[in-house]
Amino acid sequence: MDDLDAALTAAAAHGGRIVCQPAPARRPGIRFAYFSDPEGNLVELLQPTDPRRAQQTADR
């Protein structure tokens, strides 16, 4: 999913608990958010906001 906000909303709709709302990361061109799943595992979501950064992330 390319939309961090939509992914976080979907996670919450399926029993996840939002731990950290979407925010810009320290590295330019990336946003992040955290949620915990129903079992309590912490999950980090990342969204590249710069097309060049998106390609670098996909290459990893």
Side-chain angles (χ1 to χ4, degrees):
M1 185 175 281
D2 294 330
D3 184 346
L4 177 66
D5 299 290
L8 196 59
T9 299
H14 288 90
R17 184 180 60 84
I18 298 171
V19 175
C20 175
Q21 293 290 334
R26 292 178 87 186
R27 288 189 198 168
I30 299 175
R31 292 175 68 218
F32 72 95
Y34 290 96
F35 73 92
S36 61
D37 68 13
E39 287 79 35
N41 298 298
L42 185 62
V43 180
E44 178 181 41
L45 300 176
L46 299 173
Q47 176 188 15
T49 58
D50 176 346
R52 291 168 290 168
R53 183 71 71 179
Q55 185 59 47
Q56 291 171 355
T57 302
D59 291 341
R60 291 184 186 174

